[in-house]
Amino acid sequence: MIGCKLKKTLLAGILLTFILPTLLLPGQALADAPYRGYTWNQLGDDVSSINGYLYDSSIDPVNTGAGGLKNPESLFIGEDDTLYVVDTGNSRIVHMDKDGGLINIIGDAEGSGKLQEPKGMFVKADGTVYVADTKNQRIAIFDKNGKFIKDFLKPESPLLGAKFSYSPSKLIVDKRDYMYVVSDGNTQGLLQIDSGGKFKGFYGANHVGFSWTRLLIKFVATKEQQNQLATVKPSEFSNVDLDQEGFIYSTTLGEQVNQIKRLSPVGVDTLNIGNRWYGDYYNDGPFSMASFMGISVDKNGFITVLDLQTSKVFQYDKLGNLLFSFGGTGDQNGLFVTPSAVEQTSDGLIYVVDKGRGRIDRFRTTPFADLVHKASLLYVDGSYDDAKSLWQEVLRLNANYDMAYLAIGKALYKDEQYKDAMSYFKLARSKVDYSSAFREYRKLYIREHFIYFFAGGIGALLLLFWSAPRLYRRFHAWLYRQKPTVLEPAKGEIG
């Protein structure tokens, strides 16, 4: 019965996948978006989906007192939802309200606070602004009114060495006023700097994975040949963000898996168990892996990242499950020329900095995304039963959404409906969950039918007890039965 129901849901969902946006969003149908909504399934195939985000509007301060933006690299949205744009080409920070109205310009005045091609920034709850002043090789600090307070130059430490190149590009500041700094070209991890500017050590460094090629070279090549080969170094961080619980999220360049990490207080990745692929699966083309340059984690734990290679934005839940993707390269609204940063306001709007156009594009959620977000929050919190009805509604609207099958399977598993859970895990192509449900279903089935298994076992023993002696006697007789005797001729008798 459940199989029939799933087939009907699947058929209805396929039909509604392309019709629903027109019904829910008059004048803003799926066909109006310059990109196709999709997710990835467990087989590595992209599956069409209803778009979760649509282009809303753009912010271009060229007509304000700030003038135009030139190669903006980063964006930070404060707790009051105001925008801080790192206007790298103009060596300044532009502070605007959420609709683009100018509030202040920071770091453009002559003096000790003048910035030189900054690339990143962080704003504390009290309005204190920390700027990664890249060209000046320092962290510059301003108060909430944009007045320069102090700076921290290159930290001195034997761990860094005299030849260490300090080029701060991104940073976050925790509740202790410790700074975690991304330095361009550094592969040893984030620089951890205390509130006094002292270097406390490297944090959350990436690791070099095992390679059979390197192992073979180690045993075969001579020392001279090994020295000529390039030294394999860990991948470097490209960006960093801080969630409300104090976890640090990072993006890494040059890795095919686990490009997004959630680092614990001791620098251990708590997001990925084993290897997980983020972004698109590349089979051909000029690149083979995602290059995430921007990351933003909102108050609900949704992780939104920006891939420079494809100019696409990907959003994941707190567990790392892909929810939506949108954007791409192009001149239309909703596409980007050269995106560089992504951020989110408290009302769920996503802002993407397009430094190729010198503007900020704003995206809003669709009703489908609002539904998925509600269901995902309950799912991540372990409230599978409460989320079940929402995920069923998601499947009614879009039967291609594998995440919904997985979540419903979890709810059924929790309710000990293992057989039904197996059906949903199969549709979600989750082998691990299917095996767990099958193992529990097998135990439950044996327990419920124990009397039959017990009776069958007793019957088998009785049958064996009754038939074994007869079978043995027959086998013994067959084995030792006499063969026909052949008479031999007597001596002297001629045959």
Side-chain angles (χ1 to χ4, degrees):
M1 181 175 181
I2 184 118
C4 180
K5 184 178 179 181
L6 287 175
K7 289 179 180 178
K8 290 181 179 179
T9 302
L10 185 63
L11 179 60
I14 291 173
L15 294 175
L16 287 172
T17 296
F18 301 99
I19 298 174
L20 180 71
T22 306
L23 301 176
L24 291 179
L25 303 168
Q28 192 84 49
L30 181 64
D32 294 334
Y35 46 80
R36 178 178 70 91
Y38 66 93
T39 59
W40 292 98
N41 62 22
Q42 296 291 332
L43 300 178
D45 300 323
D46 61 320
V47 181
S48 295
S49 177
I50 300 172
N51 278 317
Y53 287 86
L54 294 175
Y55 173 80
D56 181 82
S57 57
S58 296
I59 297 175
D60 188 347
V62 67
N63 296 321
T64 69
L69 301 175
K70 183 179 179 182
N71 296 325
E73 285 284 350
S74 296
L75 173 68
F76 188 94
I77 296 181
E79 291 193 358
D80 56 357
D81 281 344
T82 58
L83 314 179
Y84 295 81
V85 184
V86 181
D87 190 7
T88 304
N90 290 318
S91 296
R92 60 181 183 169
I93 306 297
V94 180
H95 187 195
M96 301 180 289
D97 62 33
K98 62 185 299 183
D99 294 317
L102 180 63
I103 296 176
N104 196 9
I105 296 178
I106 302 171
D108 64 331
E110 294 294 334
S112 55
K114 186 173 177 58
L115 302 173
Q116 288 294 324
E117 298 183 14
K119 290 185 178 181
M121 66 175 303
F122 184 89
V123 182
K124 292 180 58 180
D126 62 3
T128 305
V129 179
Y130 290 70
V131 182
D133 193 6
T134 309
K135 199 75 175 287
N136 284 329
Q137 297 181 312
R138 66 174 183 170
I139 304 298
I141 303 177
F142 302 82
D143 67 15
K144 63 180 181 180
N145 298 316
K147 180 182 177 181
F148 176 72
I149 301 175
K150 60 181 178 180
D151 59 12
F152 294 120
L153 301 177
K154 175 185 175 181
E156 300 294 334
S157 172
L159 295 175
L160 294 175
K163 297 182 179 180
F164 181 81
S165 176
Y166 186 53
S167 181
S169 59
K170 301 291 187 297
L171 81 157
I172 57 97
V173 182
D174 68 11
K175 295 180 180 179
R176 305 170 298 168
D177 286 344
Y178 272 49
M179 295 166 281
Y180 295 81
V181 182
V182 176
S183 180
D184 289 342
N186 170 47
T187 61
Q188 296 173 276
L190 299 173
L191 277 74
Q192 189 179 39
I193 303 172
D194 68 13
S195 58
K198 294 182 179 179
F199 178 71
K200 306 300 290 186
F202 291 107
Y203 173 86
N206 293 308
H207 302 285
V208 177
F210 175 79
S211 171
W212 285 105
T213 302
R214 291 198 303 271
L215 182 64
L216 181 63
I217 291 175
K218 180 179 179 180
F219 285 103
V220 175
T222 64
K223 289 185 178 181
E224 291 75 11
Q225 292 172 331
Q226 293 180 25
N227 293 333
Q228 293 176 358
L229 296 174
T231 303
V232 179
K233 296 181 179 180
S235 300
E236 64 179 278
F237 290 115
S238 58
N239 213 326
V240 65
D241 197 16
L242 185 71
D243 71 4
Q244 292 189 335
E245 297 176 353
F247 284 97
I248 297 175
Y249 288 73
S250 67
T251 54
T252 302
L253 293 177
E255 288 189 348
Q256 289 187 331
V257 295
N258 299 344
Q259 306 101 319
I260 305 171
K261 294 181 176 67
R262 179 176 59 236
L263 302 175
S264 70
V266 294
V268 177
D269 180 16
T270 62
L271 179 62
N272 306 295
I273 300 176
N275 291 328
R276 174 178 284 172
W277 192 294
Y278 293 97
D280 279 343
Y281 290 79
Y282 302 119
N283 295 320
D284 50 25
F287 39 79
S288 60
M289 66 187 75
S291 295
F292 294 123
M293 295 298 297
I295 182 170
S296 174
V297 185
D298 72 3
K299 61 182 180 181
N300 293 316
F302 293 119
I303 309 165
T304 305
V305 292
L306 173 65
D307 179 18
L308 183 62
Q309 297 284 16
T310 59
S311 297
K312 292 180 181 178
V313 177
F314 297 88
Q315 187 175 75
Y316 301 86
D317 68 13
K318 199 172 183 178
L319 302 178
N321 299 304
L322 177 63
L323 301 179
F324 301 107
S325 60
F326 63 91
T329 304
D331 295 325
Q332 296 173 265
N333 287 331
L335 302 178
F336 314 109
V337 176
T338 310
S340 58
V342 61
E343 266 286 357
Q344 304 171 72
T345 50
S346 60
D347 56 1
L349 291 175
I350 289 182
Y351 292 71
V352 180
V353 176
D354 189 350
K355 71 176 182 179
R357 289 173 171 166
R359 74 180 195 184
I360 304 170
D361 292 339
R362 183 161 48 187
F363 295 80
R364 58 179 173 82
T365 58
T366 64
F368 181 70
D370 294 334
L371 177 63
V372 170
H373 286 160
K374 291 178 182 178
S376 179
L377 286 175
L378 292 172
Y379 172 78
V380 169
D381 289 339
S383 303
Y384 299 141
D385 290 337
D386 296 334
K388 183 179 176 182
S389 60
L390 295 176
W391 286 120
Q392 288 172 335
E393 180 65 12
V394 169
L395 286 180
R396 188 185 71 80
L397 302 177
N398 181 8
N400 293 333
Y401 208 80
D402 281 5
M403 182 62 197
Y405 291 112
L406 179 64
I408 294 175
K410 294 279 190 181
L412 293 170
Y413 183 91
K414 184 179 179 181
D415 289 341
E416 298 185 357
Q417 301 179 43
Y418 301 119
K419 186 175 182 181
D420 292 346
M422 288 164 56
S423 299
Y424 278 93
F425 288 145
K426 184 176 181 180
L427 289 170
R429 300 177 179 86
S430 179
K431 295 181 180 179
V432 174
D433 291 308
Y434 182 90
S435 298
S436 298
F438 176 75
R439 183 167 54 250
E440 295 300 326
Y441 173 70
R442 182 179 57 197
K443 291 191 295 186
L444 183 63
Y445 185 86
I446 293 175
R447 186 164 59 246
E448 290 178 349
H449 298 82
F450 177 76
I451 186 64
Y452 300 107
F453 286 102
F454 181 77
I458 294 298
L461 288 174
L462 291 175
L463 180 62
L464 182 63
F465 179 78
W466 176 79
S467 60
R470 290 191 174 189
L471 292 174
Y472 176 77
R473 287 194 296 271
R474 289 186 179 183
F475 176 74
H476 189 273
W478 172 81
L479 186 63
Y480 293 101
R481 71 174 180 266
Q482 294 184 352
K483 298 180 180 180
T485 303
V486 178
L487 296 176
E488 297 182 358
K491 289 184 179 180
E493 184 178 347
I494 299 175

